[in-house]
Amino acid sequence: MSLALIAALPFIGALLPGLMIRSGKNACALVTGSVTALALLMLGLNAPAVLRGEVVQTRIEWIPSLGLNANFFLDGLGLLFAGLILGIGLLIILYARFYLAKSDPMGQFYTYLMLFQGAMVGIVLSDNILLLLVFWELTSLSSFLLIGYWKHLPEGRQGARMALTVTGGGGLAMIAGMLILGNIVGSYDLSVILENKEMIQASDWYLPALILILLGCFTKSAQFPFHFWLPHAMAAPTPVSAYLHSATMVKAGLFLMARMWPVLAGTPEWFYIVATIGLITMVMAAKIALFKDDLKALLAFSTVSHLGLITMLLGFGTAEAATVAVFHIINHATFKAALFMSAGIVDHEAHTRDLKRLGGLRTLMPITFTIVTIASLSMAGIPPLNGFLSKELMLEEAAHTTWMANPWLIGVLATIGALFSVAYSFRFIAHAFLGPVRSDYPSKPHDPGFGLWAAPALLAGLVILIGLFPMLTAAWLVNAAASAVTGEVIAVKITHWHGLYAPALWMSLAAIGGGLMLMGLHPRLMALWNATPRPEAKRIFDGVVEPFAALAGRIANRLHDGALTRYIAIGVLGIVGVSYYAFATATHSAGTRDLMPIQPVPALGWFALCLATAAIVIYHRQRLLTLVLVGIIGLMVSVGFAYFSAPDLALTQISVEVATIILMLLALNFLPKTTPSESTPTRRTWDGAVAVTAGVAIAVLAFALMTRDQAFSPISEYHITNSKPEGGGTNIVNVILVDFRGYDTFGEIIVLGIAALVIFALTEALLRAGPANDRLLAWTPDQRRAGDRHPMMLVVATRVILPIALMVGFFIFLRGHNEPGGGFIAGLIVAIALVMQYMASGFAWTAARQKIDYHALIACGILVAAATGIGAWFNGLPFLTSAFGYFTIWPLEEFELATALLFDIGVFLTVLGAVMLALASLSRIGLRAGETVNVQPFDIDPSEGRTLNSGEVR
Amino acid sequence: MEALVSSAIGMMTAAGVYLMLRQRTFPVIVGLTLLTYAVNVFLFTSGRLATNMPAIYGEGAPGYSDPLPQALVLTAIVISFGMTAVIVMMALGAFLEAGHDKVDMNDEDTPTDGGQK
């Protein structure tokens, strides 16, 4: 369970920042950080077992029929990556707290960040490739949100789109590849797949699967030719760049290559695709990085280059090279994240990241300078820092690898890549920090507060520690991870000195010397670079994507032209057409069920209903009349329910009817009172034809249904038999609602509560400054007001009715389990009793006299219902199983108590709260439109003959 | 009786659909209300019609009407109230925001390009 919990924690944590931001930024960051820290702690608890060589597993069946399990496992590789993701995530949360500006919505940022974190942890812990794919796509989506976090910047939006297109497209390819792989092996469990190397590599489908999976990895890890999205993703806030684009997400591709290494690597196809692409990426990106003036662009291309380096090492296919790859993943994460954060600090303080406008920051920002120097030297591969260690090992592996029978090609190219790497690292230090102090910085730079430099400083400390004591600080982790990658027991030996005869020494020296020379030549090379034409990746990308986007836009606009009436007509005709097709292509005979004879009184009700329906169509432009006619129809429907043995429905229908009509009347107050006649006769005829088609179709269907017996024996037999013995109630409908299908009811009261909250939120939005609010403030009633709007007779009558109505509600509620009634109906009755007080004396007057918060009422209702349901768990029964018993208290007769009653209280409270909140929202709009607040319960006191409520109080 | 009930369902459906095809919000809401009645009654009739047989235990009851559709329709009635209330508020909000109560979007409201940059 604990592994699943580690993956789930960030997702749960994603809910918190949005809430905690109300308590301030510190609280928000603290809570977000604690969730990550907790996940890290739980990971740490599992670490000893993993380091001993065990594999920790959690197995949860999810959709077994699809082969989809929520299985997680933790081995050395997973431990390394999960540790990186959570550990650096913690530092990023700290850094972002101080990096984001006051105007940036911080809660949103942390929510996105936690979503991303959860998705990443999910990838590295998944033991099922389908589950892994789900998390994989989630990282693409969450990184889209993070890159586009500054929504007002076009670069941010475009960069986010490009990243999503490239990585999402690669993800699709990977899905195909993974499915092929699963098919070859016959299982989607990684642990099974990893044991079937021979079967996979012997399969004809090996190459397609390999290419498709690699497409996913290369797009995610920004390998040539898909590298172009990463520099554009730098439009994201720097914490995002540091987290996603150096330490974690771009390494997801590497992770997957490492994860699949045991079964996919070791073939010539793997070597030539992966090693070659990695080599090209490494050299090409390092060269471009040298010519970038933007600090983040320089770091972006440097990241691409280092990712290429690791890809190449994995591509070599030897256990030694894979071990070096793992080591470099750790080192790169430390120095590159520190550099990104430092670049962010420079940007934050000097308000520019352009190397042409920087220089001389050494004395102004000594702390930042120290951090950058340590991290940059490590990136350049200068001893004794950790970057040097892994670079030496890399050069050593490259020197011993033959490419197409050419023993020195890879070694030379790797040295050239390292040479560029040295050059751009030195350029980062020299052009930003060395040189004379300038007078024209956009903002006077100085070192930031501790909060901002703490995280990069910690990473820089790690760079030194791993550099000085690699065997103590890193070797154990490298061993565990590399053993997991290769499936062999690895015991790595990392030293600074490999002897004079090691080729790496000379390659390293060549790289450092050459790099320094390049630095010296930089101004001239830069001029040459600027003079040569280069393909602009963004323009090519836009050129490919734009036509598709335009086409999609045209199709969408053609289909969705915003005409609701057209959608409805198409929908109605479509449903009728499909139904008719089903009817016409099947065999059927006339119904055999006996028809009920027509009685005169029900026929009269039918006649009234038809008359009112026809009148609505004719008089629908007079809106008030329409409501009266709707009332008639509703009344006839409820009478019909009563006649056809459904007393509960009749009671519900009639009380809902009252509430609906009141609501619509209140709304009509602010809407035009008539509908203008604007459709042409042709249009009306057409609409009429559509409507009649639908009506005839449903009538025929209903008749056909009613004249036949059920095709299968209905499950309600069970309910009828067991209502009393199991549910303890004689009203079967109510027992179904609160017991047999209590789960449905529970969902439905939640929906009702949400609907009421939506209404409240809509009202809030309307009452905010804006055109709607202006219209309300300037409101003039379009109908003459009554002289006596709160008549005394009505006030007195409703006051007398109130206790009676409440008692009726209580009675209806209590008897609901055994007789028609229950929480739904009682809630509506009490709501109507309260609304009558509103109508009599005005909303504000009444609201001032009853201190009930309707939000709390809804929440209480749902919580009571949930608590009742959960109560069943303590008896070892499923959710919402009810219990009941019979009690006698003198002088009462024996009575029954059931937990279903508690559940019904929840229903009652929610219905009451929802109805009242909806009506109260409308009243608030009325108040804004100039409704006066009553100080007296009624307007005119006839005994004294004077007007009581005249004040124009808003 | 079956003919009466099914024709009533048909009438309410036809009137509901016709009103939903109008171009102002208020008739659309009223039309939706009528359609709701029709759908609820239709669902109710899937338990078949029966008189004087409420689904409540009683001595000597001749039988019980099908309680399950009744329970489902009961919650449907309450939910449709919530839905109607939301739509009424949306219509009101749209009218107050835009100054008119048309349901169809104008041509100038329709985005012409594929989306925003």
Side-chain angles (χ1 to χ4, degrees):
Chain A
M1 194 60 217
S2 109
L3 285 185
L5 201 57
I6 295 174
L9 260 176
F11 288 112
I12 299 167
L15 299 171
L16 298 176
L19 293 173
M20 290 310 294
I21 193 66
R22 293 168 182 229
S23 319
K25 298 193 164 189
N26 285 329
C28 183
L30 199 67
V31 166
T32 316
S34 341
V35 175
T36 306
L38 184 63
L40 191 60
L41 180 75
M42 290 172 60
L43 185 74
L45 293 178
N46 282 306
V50 174
L51 293 175
R52 278 197 304 273
E54 294 170 23
V55 174
V56 184
Q57 284 188 317
T58 306
R59 311 190 72 81
I60 304 168
E61 290 288 312
W62 186 7
I63 313 174
S65 54
L66 287 182
L68 177 54
N69 310 314
N71 289 351
F72 295 92
F73 81 123
L74 183 70
D75 61 357
L77 185 67
L79 178 70
L80 166 67
F81 270 90
L84 275 181
I85 293 158
L86 293 170
I88 295 190
L90 204 54
L91 296 180
I92 293 292
I93 289 167
L94 167 72
Y95 179 80
R97 157 68 189 89
F98 297 96
Y99 180 84
L100 291 179
K102 271 200 172 63
S103 53
D104 294 328
M106 187 181 271
Q108 216 174 64
F109 181 83
Y110 279 135
T111 298
Y112 295 164
L113 201 72
M114 294 305 275
L115 284 179
F116 169 76
Q117 194 177 69
M120 275 308 293
V121 173
I123 288 183
V124 300
L125 295 185
S126 294
D127 186 15
N128 183 291
I129 51 176
L130 299 180
L131 185 68
L132 189 148
L133 287 170
V134 172
F135 286 120
W136 187 275
E137 296 297 324
L138 273 179
T139 59
S140 292
L141 289 177
S142 52
S143 78
F144 170 79
L145 292 172
L146 281 168
I147 298 170
Y149 173 69
W150 282 326
K151 301 181 191 72
H152 55 283
L153 298 180
E155 300 86 45
R157 302 199 298 267
Q158 288 164 9
R161 274 213 307 259
M162 188 190 273
L164 183 67
T165 314
V166 177
T167 57
L172 289 180
M174 206 176 80
I175 291 177
M178 288 294 200
L179 290 179
I180 295 176
L181 205 60
N183 258 341
I184 296 175
V185 179
S187 164
Y188 292 110
D189 279 350
L190 256 177
S191 32
V192 178
I193 291 174
L194 291 182
E195 280 162 9
N196 283 294
K197 178 178 177 175
E198 286 77 21
M199 193 200 274
I200 291 169
Q201 298 197 349
S203 164
D204 292 340
W205 287 95
Y206 166 70
L207 191 60
L210 176 70
I211 292 174
L212 289 169
I213 292 176
L214 285 180
L215 269 176
C217 296
F218 287 169
T219 48
K220 201 81 165 179
S221 285
Q223 296 298 296
F224 177 83
F226 308 109
H227 61 283
F228 58 89
W229 69 263
L230 187 58
H232 288 283
M234 290 298 140
T238 303
V240 175
S241 311
Y243 194 34
L244 274 66
H245 305 131
S246 78
T248 55
M249 188 181 85
V250 288
K251 296 220 171 82
L254 302 180
F255 167 81
L256 202 69
M257 281 189 265
R259 182 50 93 209
M260 292 295 174
W261 195 90
V263 287
L264 295 182
T267 60
E269 294 94 326
W270 169 272
F271 174 77
Y272 283 110
I273 298 175
V274 180
T276 313
I277 292 284
L279 188 65
I280 295 175
T281 311
M282 170 172 127
V283 179
M284 174 213 63
K287 186 194 77 180
I288 299 175
L290 182 59
F291 299 105
K292 287 291 167 189
D293 287 326
D294 179 359
L295 281 181
K296 277 177 79 177
L298 186 155
L299 290 176
F301 277 104
S302 148
T303 304
V304 174
S305 164
H306 280 267
L307 294 171
L309 185 162
I310 300 167
T311 304
M312 178 186 77
L313 283 170
L314 289 170
F316 286 168
T318 62
E320 293 78 20
T323 311
V324 180
V326 168
F327 187 35
H328 197 67
I329 286 173
I330 301 174
N331 296 339
H332 180 253
T334 53
F335 67 68
K336 192 51 69 64
L339 281 173
F340 264 113
M341 291 194 224
S342 306
I345 291 175
V346 170
D347 192 14
H348 198 260
E349 299 302 324
H351 292 194
T352 180
R353 325 186 285 250
D354 193 342
L355 281 175
K356 283 186 297 222
R357 305 196 60 184
L358 293 168
L361 296 179
R362 176 173 51 92
T363 49
L364 297 171
M365 306 175 77
I367 300 174
T368 316
F369 171 63
T370 314
I371 297 169
V372 165
T373 309
I374 296 167
S376 290
L377 291 179
S378 177
M379 177 160 78
I382 305 295
L385 301 169
N386 64 357
F388 163 76
L389 298 172
S390 45
K391 194 186 71 174
E392 283 266 297
L393 292 170
M394 179 275 287
L395 290 172
E396 191 71 37
E397 293 303 323
H400 297 303
T401 307
T402 309
W403 195 87
M404 293 270 183
N406 190 330
W408 48 265
L409 181 77
I410 288 190
V412 169
L413 285 174
T415 312
I416 293 176
L419 186 147
F420 281 119
S421 177
V422 171
Y424 66 67
S425 301
F426 280 125
R427 181 161 179 249
F428 191 113
I429 303 176
H431 288 189
F433 288 89
L434 303 182
V437 174
R438 298 167 64 147
S439 54
D440 59 343
Y441 303 114
S443 167
K444 182 80 181 152
H446 53 80
D447 267 325
F450 172 74
L452 210 48
W453 63 257
L458 186 75
L459 289 170
L462 279 178
V463 166
I464 300 178
L465 273 180
I466 299 177
L468 290 178
F469 313 108
M471 292 308 286
L472 192 68
T473 52
W476 49 275
L477 190 54
V478 174
N479 286 341
S483 306
V485 173
T486 56
E488 303 164 21
V489 179
I490 302 276
V492 74
K493 192 168 181 316
I494 310 168
T495 55
H496 294 83
W497 180 250
H498 300 275
L500 274 179
Y501 298 104
L505 174 70
W506 303 102
M507 290 157 86
S508 222
L509 284 177
I512 293 172
L516 287 173
M517 269 171 60
L518 270 190
M519 247 319 271
L521 292 172
H522 186 264
R524 264 183 256 172
L525 290 174
M526 192 77 192
L528 191 67
W529 170 265
N530 287 333
T532 38
R534 300 178 297 279
E536 172 62 54
K538 177 151 186 346
R539 202 170 303 141
I540 300 170
F541 176 80
D542 284 346
V544 173
V545 172
E546 288 281 318
F548 287 108
L551 180 70
R554 273 202 300 278
I555 293 173
N557 284 341
R558 186 69 64 81
L559 288 176
H560 289 255
D561 61 351
L564 179 75
T565 50
R566 199 179 73 152
Y567 305 160
I568 293 176
I570 293 175
V572 166
L573 289 179
I575 294 170
V576 173
V578 170
S579 314
Y580 181 75
Y581 175 78
F583 176 78
T585 53
T587 54
H588 36 74
S589 51
T592 52
R593 206 168 189 271
D594 292 337
L595 294 187
M596 288 168 73
I598 296 177
Q599 308 284 347
V601 177
L604 219 58
W606 173 84
F607 185 67
L609 188 145
C610 291
L611 210 61
T613 312
I616 276 196
V617 174
I618 298 167
Y619 298 111
H620 75 88
R621 294 205 176 79
Q622 300 172 36
R623 295 180 172 181
L624 199 60
L625 182 61
T626 309
L627 283 187
V628 175
L629 292 169
V630 168
I632 295 177
I633 297 176
L635 185 68
M636 286 304 126
V637 169
S638 35
V639 170
F641 282 140
Y643 179 73
F644 291 115
S645 319
D648 284 278
L649 286 188
L651 281 172
T652 315
Q653 180 71 58
I654 195 128
S655 40
V656 160
E657 200 52 47
V658 175
T660 312
I661 296 290
I662 291 174
L663 185 92
M664 285 166 87
L665 272 173
L666 283 172
L668 188 58
N669 187 25
F670 296 99
L671 290 169
K673 305 295 175 286
T674 53
T675 307
S677 169
E678 46 192 2
S679 46
T680 59
T682 328
R683 166 79 191 263
R684 268 178 249 166
T685 316
W686 161 248
D687 289 349
V690 173
V692 169
T693 313
V696 169
I698 191 89
V700 169
L701 180 63
F703 188 74
L705 187 76
M706 280 186 278
T707 50
R708 283 166 176 77
D709 282 315
Q710 273 109 338
F712 308 95
S713 68
I715 55 170
S716 27
E717 291 300 328
Y718 172 84
H719 300 131
I720 292 172
T721 320
N722 292 309
S723 182
K724 184 73 179 166
E726 285 191 13
T730 56
N731 180 359
I732 307 170
V733 174
N734 183 271
V735 174
I736 292 176
L737 282 175
V738 297
D739 192 329
F740 293 130
R741 303 199 61 88
Y743 212 69
D744 287 357
T745 312
F746 184 57
E748 269 149 358
I749 59 172
I750 290 176
V751 172
L752 196 64
I754 292 173
L757 292 182
V758 167
I759 290 172
F760 176 77
L762 269 169
T763 313
E764 286 285 297
L766 288 180
L767 296 182
R768 238 180 265 142
N773 189 43
D774 297 341
R775 259 191 203 96
L776 282 175
L777 287 176
W779 189 263
T780 46
D782 52 358
Q783 282 186 324
R784 215 164 52 79
R785 301 273 121 159
D788 187 8
R789 289 196 296 138
H790 303 291
M792 190 187 71
M793 286 303 288
L794 182 62
V795 172
V796 173
T798 51
R799 296 295 186 277
V800 173
I801 289 174
L802 180 65
I804 302 172
L806 291 180
M807 201 184 64
V808 169
F810 187 61
F811 170 68
I812 292 268
F813 173 77
L814 275 187
R815 73 172 204 161
H817 213 42
N818 294 319
E819 295 287 325
F824 275 118
I825 301 162
L828 288 162
I829 289 176
V830 172
I832 292 168
L834 293 180
V835 168
M836 283 197 297
Q837 312 305 314
Y838 282 15
M839 294 199 296
S841 293
F843 167 68
W845 189 91
T846 316
R849 278 156 187 80
Q850 45 136 355
K851 307 271 183 242
I852 304 171
D853 183 16
Y854 300 130
H855 295 84
L857 218 52
I858 296 173
C860 278
I862 289 172
L863 288 178
V864 166
T868 313
I870 290 170
W873 285 346
F874 293 103
N875 292 328
L877 294 167
F879 188 67
L880 274 174
T881 312
S882 71
F884 59 94
Y886 296 89
F887 304 88
T888 318
I889 300 176
W890 188 87
L892 303 176
E893 288 182 38
E894 184 190 66
F895 61 93
E896 178 200 3
L897 278 181
T899 58
L901 193 73
L902 280 175
F903 182 75
D904 226 8
I905 289 179
V907 174
F908 167 81
L909 291 176
T910 312
V911 171
L912 177 62
V915 176
M916 293 310 288
L917 189 59
L919 294 169
S921 298
L922 271 165
S923 302
R924 287 177 62 208
I925 293 180
L927 282 180
R928 184 60 57 93
E931 193 83 23
T932 52
V933 175
N934 287 6
V935 284
Q936 296 290 330
F938 38 85
D939 291 345
I940 299 170
D941 187 344
S943 63
E944 299 184 23
R946 64 191 176 88
T947 306
L948 299 173
N949 291 315
S950 57
E952 288 287 320
V953 190
R954 282 217 165 169
Chain B
M1 292 303 284
E2 278 82 358
L4 292 191
V5 173
S6 48
S7 62
I9 295 173
M11 286 274 295
M12 289 191 288
T13 306
V17 169
Y18 181 76
L19 289 185
M20 283 171 75
L21 292 172
R22 299 302 91 207
Q23 288 162 32
R24 301 287 174 150
T25 51
F26 196 79
V28 171
I29 296 171
V30 173
L32 199 61
T33 313
L34 290 184
L35 199 62
T36 309
Y37 290 141
V39 170
N40 284 344
V41 175
F42 177 74
L43 289 180
F44 170 71
T45 59
S46 69
R48 308 302 186 270
L49 299 182
T51 50
N52 294 323
M53 286 199 283
I56 295 167
Y57 285 136
E59 302 223 342
Y64 303 110
S65 57
D66 195 339
L68 193 60
Q70 293 188 21
L72 298 182
V73 170
L74 197 153
T75 47
I77 293 172
V78 180
I79 289 286
S80 43
F81 166 74
M83 183 196 67
T84 309
V86 170
I87 294 183
V88 165
M89 282 305 296
M90 281 167 65
L92 182 56
F95 175 68
L96 289 174
E97 284 283 336
H100 66 82
D101 62 346
K102 289 187 180 168
V103 289
D104 288 353
M105 266 168 37
N106 293 329
D107 286 337
E108 53 262 36
D109 297 340
T110 317
T112 44
D113 60 346
Q116 56 174 327
K117 288 279 164 190

